[in-house]
Structures are given as structure tokens and as C-alpha cells.
Amino acid sequence: MIYRKLLPAVATAMVTALPFAILVGCSDPGPAEEAGESVDETMEEAQDQFDDAVDAVQDAADEAAEAVSDMVDEPGPAEEAGREVDDAVEEVEEAGEELMED
């Protein structure tokens, strides 16, 4: 009969002590937790490498776009020479037309 009186107190003590026992028992990481941490670290490193690769590709694309823009915007020596020839031909044609009008 004394056991019946002690049973609620023992049950309450066990329920109260259980969370503390779990916390104390989890202070040392087990193999599953260590494996999980390793996977997390690997995934973070992979994400960092992916972000670096994306940045490198973006930088290369920006540089290529700038190079193409420079080629299109600024005439090269051949284009400049061609423009000078076109200008000279126009001057000759205008001079020829003036001579024909006189």
C-alpha cells in the first residue's frame, strides 16, 4: 500500500527528470549528429562555390558585353579609312556635279 502512495511522486519525479536527462545525454554529439553536421558543412561549401562560379560567369559576361560594345561603338582603323574614302568620293561627285552645272 505504501507503493500506491509513492507511485504518483515517483511518476512525477521521472516526468520532471526526463527532459534534463535528455539534455544531458545530448551534450556529446553522436555519429548521426556528426554526419548531419558534416553534410550541412558540405552543402554550405558547395553553395559558396556555386555562388562564386555564378559571380565569375557574370563578370565574364559583363566583360564580353563591354568588349562587344566597344567594338560596335568605336570605329576601327579600317572603318575610319572607309569613311574617309566615302567622304572623298562624295567630294569628287559634288565637284563633278558643279562642273556639269557650269
Side-chain angles (χ1 to χ4, degrees), residues 24-64:
V24 170
C26 291
S27 64
D28 293 330
E33 186 176 352
E34 289 176 359
E37 289 175 0
S38 177
V39 168
D40 289 343
E41 289 173 7
T42 302
M43 291 303 293
E44 287 175 9
E45 290 173 7
Q47 183 65 45
D48 290 344
Q49 290 176 353
F50 177 78
D51 291 342
D52 292 345
V54 167
D55 290 343
V57 168
Q58 184 63 46
D59 290 345
D62 290 344
E63 289 176 14

